[in-house]
Amino acid sequence: MPYTSEDLNKLDQELKELADEKYRKFHGGLIPNVDTVFYGVRVPLLRKIAKRLIKEDWRGFVELTKDAGIYEWKMLCGMVIGLAKCDFEEKLVYVGQFVPIIDNWAVCDIVCGDLKDVKKNRGRMYAFIKPFLSSSKEYEVRFAVAILMQYFLTDEYIGEVLSIYDGIRHDGYYVKMAVAWGVSICFIHFREITLDYLLSCNLDDFTYNKSIQKMMESFRVSVEDKEMLRGMKRRKGENR
């Protein structure tokens, strides 16, 4: 049956009942500058609802929520698109409509993580995300950077991923942090290639040092490598 505004109202009431005030205050403080309503429903509960919605008229649900001003609605919209069982080309249509309305790192990263079928469609997704890499919009770039990190750290793509990261020049904080995160994961999976890259890369000092920091914070990096990485940090005013 078609998903209706009445169904959405019932869902909204369900979300309000699931809200956790402590979580709302904590998580809300981690998502600055977002002009939206935030109830405070935890991600595992939202994903449980999303899995229920994809068994219903998920396309109708997406249509009703894609321009949502409520955080949980937007998160559910993205989750449903990511988890939906449909042809990949159809999914990309919905992803293409959703990415421009992403306005925070949490929705961006969680939705990227739900797009599991990218693994079977890497070539198509690679072409799809390329325009976002040169976007002026912070979260469009972050989306592409996160997709590369989550699904393209393979023997075939690692060189291209590092080259793309090296060429990103967006000044947005959440872009720089995503690139740093991505480079650190590259190091974990492709240590030698990434180490060579770090020795001659064109990352700005902030992104470079954040990359090093994230590697040093990882439990998947050895004590010996952390000591080496500590010595690779750039100091203010240091010539490269």
Side-chain angles (χ1 to χ4, degrees):
M1 295 179 63
Y3 201 87
T4 67
S5 296
E6 183 179 350
D7 294 323
L8 189 58
N9 288 335
K10 290 178 181 178
L11 175 62
D12 193 56
Q13 184 58 42
E14 179 182 358
L15 292 171
K16 289 176 180 176
E17 292 171 359
L18 292 172
D20 181 328
E21 180 61 17
K22 288 184 178 180
Y23 178 72
R24 186 188 71 80
K25 290 180 178 179
F26 170 74
H27 190 62
L30 299 176
I31 309 175
N33 305 319
V34 177
D35 183 21
T36 188
V37 176
F38 178 45
Y39 296 152
V41 182
R42 294 178 180 271
V43 170
L45 294 175
L46 290 174
R47 186 165 284 114
K48 185 176 180 180
I49 292 171
K51 289 179 179 179
R52 183 184 79 205
L53 288 168
I54 64 173
K55 297 176 182 178
E56 303 173 14
D57 174 26
W58 65 264
R59 295 172 180 83
F61 173 79
V62 167
E63 188 62 33
L64 287 174
T65 56
K66 65 182 182 181
D67 297 317
I70 298 173
Y71 175 88
E72 282 80 3
W73 287 14
K74 184 172 291 187
M75 183 71 86
L76 281 171
C77 180
M79 285 179 169
V80 165
I81 292 169
L83 296 168
K85 307 298 182 184
C86 63
D87 178 79
F88 195 67
E89 288 300 323
E90 180 185 7
K91 178 163 293 193
L92 288 183
V93 172
Y94 286 100
V95 173
Q97 294 172 353
F98 185 76
V99 172
I101 66 171
I102 296 174
D103 59 2
N104 66 82
W105 62 267
V107 169
C108 177
D109 298 355
I110 290 170
V111 171
C112 285
D114 283 339
L115 287 165
K116 304 296 186 186
D117 38 3
V118 169
K119 294 177 182 178
K120 296 181 179 180
N121 299 275
R122 283 194 178 95
R124 181 67 185 92
M125 192 64 173
Y126 187 71
F128 177 81
I129 63 172
K130 275 198 167 184
F132 292 125
L133 289 162
S134 57
S135 173
S136 62
K137 294 184 177 180
E138 185 170 13
Y139 292 104
E140 290 188 1
V141 183
R142 185 180 174 102
F143 172 82
V145 168
I147 287 290
L148 289 171
M149 176 187 66
Q150 295 204 40
Y151 302 109
F152 288 85
L153 299 190
T154 65
D155 291 335
E156 179 182 359
Y157 284 101
I158 181 60
E160 187 70 14
V161 169
L162 287 170
S163 177
I164 288 171
Y165 286 172
D166 207 49
I168 291 175
R169 294 294 179 267
H170 197 287
D171 288 331
Y173 173 81
Y174 290 101
V175 171
K176 291 177 183 289
M177 291 300 289
V179 172
W181 183 21
V183 172
S184 73
I185 301 300
C186 288
F187 183 83
I188 289 167
H189 293 287
F190 292 90
R191 179 188 181 279
E192 299 302 326
I193 292 173
T194 308
L195 185 57
D196 286 345
Y197 162 74
L198 288 169
L199 294 173
S200 61
C201 71
N202 294 303
L203 295 175
D204 63 83
D205 290 349
F206 175 86
T207 307
Y208 175 89
N209 283 338
K210 282 295 182 182
S211 301
I212 298 293
Q213 178 184 327
K214 286 183 175 295
M215 293 173 212
M216 293 175 62
E217 290 172 349
S218 174
F219 68 89
R220 291 183 286 178
V221 174
S222 70
V223 173
E224 293 77 13
D225 276 349
K226 288 179 181 179
E227 187 62 31
M228 173 194 67
L229 290 164
R230 185 175 290 108
M232 292 174 60
K233 277 199 167 185
R234 294 177 188 165
R235 273 67 182 180
K236 190 173 182 179
E238 182 179 64
N239 291 326
R240 285 199 275 155

